[in-house]
Amino acid sequence: MSQSPHVLTVTDEWKKPRPSIDEDNAEFWEALTQHKLLVWKCKTCGEVYWPKSYCKNHENEPFAEECEWVEASGRGKLFAFNIHHWAFHPGFKEEVPYYYALIELDEGPLISSQLVGDVMPPNIHTVGQTVEIVYEDHPNEGFTLPKFRIIDG
Amino acid sequence: MAKHPSSGKYAIVGLGVVAGPQPGRSERMIAAEAARLAMEDAGLTRDDIDGAIDLRRSGGGGDRASYSDPFTRVLGLKNNYYFTCGRGGALAGLGMAAAMSFIDRGISNHVMLMGAVTDWSQAQESRKKGFRGMAHTEKRGYWGKPLGDSRAVSHHSWMAARHMAVYGTTSPQLGAISVAQRQWACMNPEAKMYGRPMTIEDHQNSPWVVEPYHLFDMSQVSDGGVAFILTTAERARDLRRDPVYVIGQGFSEVSADLWWEKKNFTHMAVEPAKTQAFGQADVTLEDVDCAQFYDCFTGEVLFQIEDYGWCKKGEGGAFVEDGNMAPGGTIPINTSGGLLSCYHLGDLTGLAESVRQIRGECGERQIEDCEVVLTTGHGGELVSPGMCSIHTCTLLGKHA
């Protein structure tokens, strides 16, 4: 496993469930492999969504007509988290306990992923730390997972 | 305010329960047997049942009860229609709303509603393959699977976690919910945890599964089935059992605003459903003799106590710690033991207990002069990254 500040490259055999990629999120997953985190933005009012949605601020607007994927900052705040002590799927046996977190992106939407890195929140009551995306590349599998690390811990 | 014309117009007249592990029995046979017991209870025969609704915990968690041969054929019912209905843990409430519409339009006189699962038996099998919990319900297609979002507890536990972060709620306070429900279960011979008392220390010493949830914050995996029969109030008065009237029903959705406002991690979509149901029945919280809340995890119980208004938002922890929901408390909650300590048959667990409390069949745990019971359901899709769920609110009454 090689490591740079924002990218992890993992070449181990993938034994976990694969990402669920469909028509609505293919672009999002493709952008991750290029180390870009996309969010869905309304060109009219600037409201930001994730995942893809109709803009709730406008009536009778055909889907995606006035919205587009834009690159997000990749930063946000820790909103809530849990610590998985059980591996429900055998693929996670080597990983427990792991931190699975809700991140409130600076652009607004919530996204969830695992926390990585050396700094973990001290207790369940302590949230609001600044986090930053870490792109976990799986070149043998053809996808990149967005994970997050605490940078102001 | 006055009652809505629909309040008290329909009644539950038969109840059938198959509880406990059912190894070697198919879901359809459990289903058919629960339905037969409901007919026997009501004093009705196959010829009387002219509609059937199969209550399924489908939705975000997966289509877990799927068999091609309906229980109605197995049992030999002569119903005019049969279909499946349900969304996660919201089945009985939704099924009743559909059934009442069929009765109202003269399409049926007696509708059989039934839900059955073999989750416990199937979980024993998946354990042998290295999985834990209900691997058979896994659905492809949601966001977090490769990131370790493996089970309902993977994301439901954020609700407790966020509540703890915002309001300072503690794990022993959640434990008070689990302990109260175990106290109730110890008065219910049908409960899985009957005869197995639990203390806060036991709760705290139970393993972390997904912190902030200990093992004892989580509902059980069960086998079994619950069936009940709905008919008109008029017809109900001629039947064997005292009618249990449907006096109010309401529904609301997290995706209406809580999801967008990110409040779905500290609130449930109770308000519109409560307003509808309590308005129809023309009752207030003070009229409710006991509540049977959907309790997939302790956090959901805490949220509903606050969201219905038994205490203020954020004060649920202290409220349960003071014993308010336990035997002898101000508002008895989940008096069968609930999904945590009785059995997990979706909102049918609470529905069955509600019927029994109103009939006065609950023995040691019977609530005195029980006339109005609140029972809820909860369930939906796992949307990235949270949940969109329905909340169903049903009020049952001893009087029309």
Side-chain angles (χ1 to χ4, degrees):
Chain A
M1 190 182 277
S2 67
Q3 191 169 340
S4 68
H6 310 299
V7 181
L8 291 169
T9 304
V10 180
T11 51
D12 301 348
E13 190 193 347
W14 183 253
K15 291 177 179 169
K16 300 171 188 169
R18 295 181 62 85
S20 173
I21 301 178
D22 64 19
E23 295 86 343
D24 288 335
N25 64 24
E27 250 179 288
F28 172 86
W29 282 102
E30 175 57 30
L32 284 174
T33 65
Q34 297 154 25
H35 301 160
K36 287 177 186 166
L37 177 71
L38 300 185
V39 289
W40 183 246
K41 187 173 184 177
C42 174
K43 288 184 267 187
T44 309
C45 68
E47 187 84 39
V48 176
Y49 300 90
W50 190 85
K52 210 182 237 193
S53 307
Y54 281 71
C55 183
K56 62 185 164 65
N57 298 330
H58 314 290
E59 292 295 334
N60 298 323
E61 195 173 82
F63 184 51
E65 197 113 303
E66 296 299 327
C67 292
E68 61 185 351
W69 286 112
V70 298
E71 192 175 348
S73 65
R75 288 196 177 204
K77 303 274 189 216
L78 187 61
F79 186 82
F81 70 94
N82 60 44
I83 307 169
H84 278 63
H85 291 261
W86 282 19
F88 295 97
H89 186 287
F92 290 90
K93 265 186 183 141
E94 311 298 314
E95 235 163 85
V96 289
Y98 60 86
Y99 287 65
Y100 184 49
L102 273 172
I103 308 298
E104 187 172 25
L105 295 173
D106 284 352
E107 291 77 11
L110 291 172
I111 191 171
S112 66
S113 190
Q114 274 177 280
L115 293 180
V116 294
D118 299 330
V119 183
M120 291 295 152
N123 60 62
I124 209 82
H125 301 281
T126 307
V127 295
Q129 299 90 322
T130 302
V131 298
E132 185 177 68
I133 194 164
V134 174
Y135 296 98
E136 190 180 280
D137 286 336
H138 294 265
N140 299 340
E141 307 295 330
F143 58 77
T144 295
L145 297 176
K147 299 200 171 177
F148 289 85
R149 62 186 185 119
I150 292 176
I151 56 170
D152 73 348
Chain B
M1 286 222 302
K3 276 179 191 265
H4 188 271
S6 67
S7 181
K9 210 173 155 187
Y10 310 99
I12 295 170
V13 292
L15 178 71
V17 177
V18 175
Q22 306 287 321
R25 286 180 94 181
S26 69
E27 245 168 38
R28 78 171 68 78
M29 286 300 168
I30 296 168
E33 184 60 7
R36 184 193 67 77
L37 290 168
M39 288 194 291
E40 184 184 46
D41 183 54
L44 294 169
T45 68
R46 290 177 171 106
D47 289 338
D48 297 311
I49 305 300
D50 43 19
I53 303 178
D54 196 336
L55 304 171
R56 300 282 178 98
R57 285 193 288 153
S58 55
D63 306 311
R64 77 191 64 178
S66 46
Y67 44 86
S68 57
D69 184 9
F71 79 89
T72 50
R73 186 208 63 79
V74 174
L75 187 57
L77 295 181
K78 301 176 189 299
N79 47 290
N80 295 324
Y81 59 86
Y82 163 89
F83 63 94
T84 62
C85 176
R87 183 153 174 245
L91 334 82
L94 291 169
M96 287 165 80
M100 289 187 283
S101 158
F102 281 93
I103 298 169
D104 193 46
R105 291 180 291 148
I107 298 166
S108 310
N109 291 315
H110 309 95
V111 185
M112 175 68 74
L113 297 106
M114 188 293 312
V117 291
T118 50
D119 289 334
W120 186 82
S121 292
Q122 293 189 63
Q124 306 310 306
E125 292 305 310
S126 41
R127 204 181 178 96
K128 294 173 192 164
K129 297 172 194 151
F131 293 83
R132 299 188 86 160
M134 298 196 290
H136 62 285
T137 65
E138 279 187 8
K139 194 166 184 108
R140 289 193 191 93
Y142 69 67
W143 162 250
K145 286 277 179 188
L147 301 162
D149 191 325
S150 306
R151 290 288 181 274
V153 68
S154 298
H155 38 275
H156 279 253
S157 55
W158 283 327
M159 296 171 81
R162 180 69 184 167
H163 201 279
M164 287 171 155
V166 174
Y167 300 110
T169 304
T170 66
S171 172
Q173 288 178 331
L174 295 180
I177 293 169
S178 195
V179 168
Q181 293 194 203
R182 186 62 67 88
Q183 288 176 298
W184 287 116
C186 286
M187 294 188 276
N188 178 10
E190 197 179 76
K192 177 85 174 283
M193 299 302 178
Y194 180 69
R196 295 162 71 177
M198 187 217 291
T199 64
I200 295 287
E201 289 68 38
D202 294 332
H203 171 272
Q204 290 294 293
N205 291 331
S206 72
W208 288 119
V209 177
V210 177
E211 192 179 340
Y213 280 148
H214 288 275
L215 182 62
F216 290 167
D217 287 299
M218 297 168 54
S219 54
Q220 307 172 63
V221 173
S222 302
D223 290 346
V226 170
F228 61 103
I229 299 167
L230 262 180
T231 187
T232 60
E234 197 176 38
R235 173 77 176 116
R237 284 189 269 273
D238 299 332
L239 293 174
R240 180 188 285 172
R241 307 302 305 262
D242 289 339
V244 173
Y245 296 98
V246 184
I247 59 172
Q249 264 208 317
F251 304 91
S252 40
E253 282 282 337
V254 159
S255 55
D257 56 10
L258 295 182
W259 197 81
W260 300 110
E261 301 300 325
K262 302 166 195 165
K263 280 170 69 182
N264 55 323
F265 295 100
T266 47
H267 297 68
M268 281 165 64
V270 163
E271 190 50 46
K274 179 194 169 191
T275 302
Q276 296 155 26
F278 281 66
Q280 289 161 17
D282 194 19
V283 298
T284 67
L285 274 194
E286 287 70 48
D287 297 311
V288 176
D289 297 304
C290 64
Q292 312 298 335
F293 285 143
Y294 191 78
D295 57 322
C296 42
F297 300 95
T298 48
E300 272 77 358
V301 179
L302 184 82
F303 284 22
Q304 288 175 90
I305 288 170
E306 295 174 348
D307 293 333
Y308 272 94
W310 270 290
C311 66
K312 287 188 187 139
K313 181 54 67 182
E315 295 179 1
F319 185 85
V320 294
E321 213 164 34
D322 289 344
N324 282 295
M325 64 174 279
T330 53
I331 176 65
I333 292 173
N334 294 348
T335 54
S336 67
L339 308 183
L340 293 170
S341 278
C342 183
Y343 47 70
H344 193 329
L345 299 175
D347 61 348
L348 287 156
T349 302
L351 188 280
E353 178 68 4
S354 302
V355 169
R356 288 167 165 173
Q357 283 288 353
I358 286 176
R359 286 177 171 181
E361 295 175 342
C362 290
E364 203 188 338
R365 69 184 191 282
Q366 179 64 45
I367 306 302
E368 217 175 307
D369 302 320
C370 184
E371 298 192 337
V372 175
V373 179
L374 165 63
T375 181
T376 66
H378 166 64
E381 300 74 42
L382 178 67
V383 182
S384 340
M387 257 186 75
C388 278
S389 57
I390 193 167
H391 179 77
T392 71
C393 170
T394 302
L395 287 165
L396 299 176
K398 193 176 182 67
H399 308 290

